[in-house]
Amino acid sequence: MSNQTNNLLNRNRIPFFICSLLFFSYYLTMYLVPPPPNETNLLQKWILDWKLYLQIADEILIFAVLALIPSIYQLANPWRKEESTTALFASGLVFFLVVPMFVLVDLLIGRLVYPVNSYPLSEDTIVFLLSMQVGTMHMISLVLALAILLYSISYRNKNKNGSLILVFGVLTFGFQMIASYSWLISPEVLLFCQLSFPIWILFVGISFVKVDSINL
């Protein structure tokens, strides 16, 4: 019985490890890319200079999103008995808002660095794509902040470390709120705040799955 529990525990933890690692890698790769220049005539050169990093980030992001889906499903399995409606609502926010918006960001980055037939990538188009990317990341951070707060509240009585999970969730909520205003903070502060998400999902995922698996 003990071996079966350990196997289940390890298997259920895998998506959280993968998701955390990929999002950590994505945010770090994007941090290595300097902010786009204010002069529109330098945008083409900026893309060429950092094309490899943007391509790497683009590929990492899509796999990170794919790993996020099973992780969120485990955090609020709709078939589990006495599942918290708060956790289910938080999962709905992630599934129906955060995941599609991350996919949109991936498409926007991909359009910057990959050719689409022979369509030209004008300066106006680049400005539009970058503006959409910033706006979408703003929304992602806001929705993530709310979802993380709701998850943390729903877990406070389900885990012996519930108080710690709640405190960590409130801190992550604050960091994500700060990250949503990326144009007002330095790249270093932005990276620090963004990394709170992969750290949170790893910490909460391991804690919650461990308790849930032992109770099976």
Side-chain angles (χ1 to χ4, degrees), residues 101-116:
M101 286 191 290
F102 266 129
V103 172
L104 175 59
V105 170
D106 189 72
L107 293 174
L108 293 172
I109 297 175
R111 181 63 185 96
L112 289 174
V113 294
Y114 294 112
V116 178

Side-chain angles (χ1 to χ4, degrees), residues 1-215:
M1 184 64 180
S2 177
N3 290 335
Q4 291 178 350
T5 300
N6 289 333
N7 289 336
L8 178 61
L9 206 104
N10 293 333
R11 184 175 69 249
N12 287 346
R13 281 179 172 180
I14 290 175
F16 295 101
F17 279 111
I18 296 176
C19 181
S20 179
L21 177 62
L22 289 175
F23 271 106
F24 191 96
S25 301
Y26 166 72
Y27 288 130
L28 182 60
T29 304
M30 290 302 293
Y31 167 74
L32 297 176
V33 178
N38 293 325
E39 298 81 4
T40 57
N41 61 315
L42 297 177
L43 288 174
Q44 293 281 5
K45 183 179 185 303
W46 175 79
I47 293 176
L48 289 175
D49 290 343
W50 299 99
K51 183 176 181 179
L52 178 60
Y53 286 89
L54 291 171
Q55 288 176 328
I56 292 174
D58 187 59
E59 299 301 325
I60 291 175
L61 180 58
I62 191 61
F63 289 105
V65 173
L66 292 175
L68 177 62
I69 295 174
S71 301
I72 296 303
Y73 179 83
Q74 287 194 54
L75 290 182
N77 187 339
W79 307 112
R80 187 185 295 120
K81 293 181 179 179
E82 300 180 357
E83 182 54 82
S84 167
T85 54
T86 304
L88 288 174
F89 180 73
S91 291
L93 290 176
V94 178
F95 277 127
F96 298 111
L97 292 177
V98 174
V99 168
M101 286 191 290
F102 266 129
V103 172
L104 175 59
V105 170
D106 189 72
L107 293 174
L108 293 172
I109 297 175
R111 181 63 185 96
L112 289 174
V113 294
Y114 294 112
V116 178
N117 295 331
S118 58
Y119 303 142
L121 192 61
S122 64
E123 294 175 358
D124 289 339
T125 302
I126 295 174
V127 171
F128 173 77
L129 294 174
L130 292 175
S131 301
M132 282 287 294
Q133 181 183 343
V134 172
T136 307
M137 289 301 299
H138 170 72
M139 289 299 299
I140 287 174
S141 294
L142 291 177
V143 178
L144 266 181
L146 177 58
I148 289 170
L149 183 63
L150 293 176
Y151 275 128
S152 302
I153 292 173
S154 68
Y155 295 161
R156 69 188 187 282
N157 295 323
K158 287 188 174 185
N159 194 304
K160 65 179 182 180
N161 297 321
S163 298
L164 180 60
I165 291 176
L166 179 60
V167 171
F168 192 27
V170 171
L171 289 174
T172 307
F173 166 83
F175 289 140
Q176 288 300 312
M177 290 295 294
I178 295 173
S180 66
Y181 297 94
S182 58
W183 58 92
L184 298 177
I185 57 180
S186 67
E188 292 76 17
V189 174
L190 176 61
L191 176 65
F192 178 81
C193 294
Q194 288 177 328
L195 290 181
S196 65
F197 169 57
I199 294 173
W200 175 86
I201 199 168
L202 180 63
F203 171 73
V204 176
I206 289 176
S207 300
F208 189 72
V209 169
K210 180 177 181 180
V211 172
D212 192 54
S213 300
I214 291 175
N215 290 334

